[in-house]
Amino acid sequence: MPSSAARPHLAALAGPLVVPSTHRPRPRGRGRLVLALTATLLLAGTGTAVAYWAASGSGTGAAAAGTAAPLTTITSSATPSTLLYPNGPAAAVTLTVANPNSYAVTITAVAANGAVAASGGLGTCTTTGVTLGTPTSGLPVTVPANGSATVELGGAATMTGDAENGCQGATFTLPVSLTGASA
Amino acid sequence: MRPLTPNRLALPAALAVAVVLVPAGMAAAAWQTSGSGTGTAQATTIPVPAVSADCNGVDAVDVSWTTTAATPLVATFVVERSTDDGLTWSTIASVPATADLSYLHSDPALAEATYVYRVGATTAGWLTTSALSQSRVVVAAVTRGPKAGRRPASCT
């Protein structure tokens, strides 16, 4: 049984719990402002860490993001739904994009990035006549975090009349560059 | 009534500013990324025409063929004839492709010989040639009789 002399001391340790409400210290205006801003920054930082660069520089959300890893493509068995022939309409290009980042990426542009190679045709196909242009469909496409997505770029490739006869039935490999941003 | 003090205005003002600034910052500052790789496109093939050659009267042959894809994939069909069973060929007609899948070309006034035919489908620099027609058409000269000159062609 505590002594009556100790009670004031315990009450003092308990602070606001035992102090009458009329004397409870309330956060002053500046304190409430700081609290509000802190809460806001924390909330914003939480969202930023998922998908956005925190331009404010507060470091609360962007600190964990590091730098974006480059996108790559991986081999897939996807077959274009439309095929090329000399002076014919633009045909589809398929590609499977791998996203090594821990956030989803939306690809907004695909552009030619080198010489086109052919394989598997009826014969010699050194002059392919194939070029990669601007797709008419398929973009933008979102690739999940640490995942991959296959996209068919409609109307992206054309073949001129220069294509050799041996290019019939050939499969063309088109080097591409990819441009995207966090989804 | 108590007047609003600067401190009492601070909280709503701070929240309002935050609500405006946070979405604006999120929309303008997505991570930019890039990369490289390869895509795949494929070329088609011109389907091979199926050809037949049939006797037509005394000294003519009807060459007919079918295809599974004509214009726009195929621009022109080239009809060729051989009198040495396919060793050498002569072009006897060039037939523009249409939307039709069946075609006929008559080869008239043939000299005495045995003929075989084939048809090529072309577009730009591409060409696919059919196999030889199954029938050999024989045109033989008539030496006597009221219809002197030639006797009806026969197909073998």
Side-chain angles (χ1 to χ4, degrees):
Chain A
M1 179 80 183
S3 67
S4 60
R7 286 179 184 166
H9 178 66
L10 289 175
L13 287 176
L17 292 177
V18 295
V19 173
S21 60
T22 53
H23 299 289
R24 184 188 310 159
R26 300 176 63 183
R28 296 185 179 275
R30 178 171 299 176
R32 296 170 67 185
L33 175 61
V34 170
L35 283 175
L37 289 176
T38 303
T40 302
L41 288 175
L42 285 174
L43 288 174
T46 302
T48 304
V50 173
Y52 290 91
W53 174 273
S56 65
S58 66
T60 53
T67 56
L71 303 169
T72 59
T73 59
I74 56 179
T75 303
S76 74
S77 59
T79 302
S81 62
T82 52
L83 304 177
L84 292 162
Y85 60 90
N87 298 330
V93 173
T94 59
L95 66 160
T96 299
V97 181
N99 174 21
N101 297 290
S102 58
Y103 51 86
V105 168
T106 297
I107 298 172
T108 55
V110 176
N113 192 30
V116 176
S119 62
L122 295 183
T124 301
C125 184
T126 305
T127 302
T128 66
V130 175
T131 56
L132 179 67
T134 302
T136 57
S137 65
L139 294 179
V141 62
T142 298
V143 185
N146 298 310
S148 63
T150 297
V151 57
E152 177 172 284
L153 305 175
T158 55
M159 174 180 276
T160 67
D162 296 331
E164 294 180 76
N165 192 51
C167 295
Q168 291 190 60
T171 298
F172 302 97
T173 300
L174 299 88
V176 298
S177 62
L178 309 166
T179 301
S182 56
Chain B
M1 181 176 178
R2 296 176 58 186
L4 291 175
T5 65
N7 284 345
R8 294 175 67 84
L9 287 173
L11 177 58
L15 290 176
V17 170
V19 167
V20 170
L21 289 180
V22 170
M26 293 168 71
W31 279 98
Q32 301 299 312
T33 187
S34 61
S36 60
T38 58
T40 300
Q42 289 186 345
T44 188
T45 57
I46 301 178
V48 179
V51 180
S52 63
D54 300 297
C55 303
N56 180 12
V58 176
D59 56 3
V61 174
D62 283 344
V63 182
S64 59
W65 65 95
T66 60
T67 180
T68 57
T71 185
L73 173 56
V74 177
T76 305
F77 294 100
V78 178
V79 183
E80 295 179 305
R81 180 179 63 202
S82 173
T83 56
D84 54 12
D85 206 29
L87 292 178
T88 59
W89 294 93
S90 299
T91 299
I92 61 170
S94 181
V95 180
T98 67
D100 296 333
L101 299 180
S102 297
Y103 295 82
L104 173 67
H105 174 75
S106 291
D107 190 17
L110 294 168
E112 182 181 5
T114 297
Y115 298 94
V116 64
Y117 296 84
R118 71 180 184 184
V119 173
T122 69
T123 187
W126 283 11
L127 167 66
T128 293
T129 304
S130 72
L132 305 184
S133 56
Q134 292 291 318
S135 298
R136 268 61 174 171
V137 179
V138 178
V139 176
V142 175
T143 56
R144 292 184 300 176
K147 295 182 179 179
R150 291 180 184 154
R151 69 185 185 188
S154 62
C155 300
T156 59

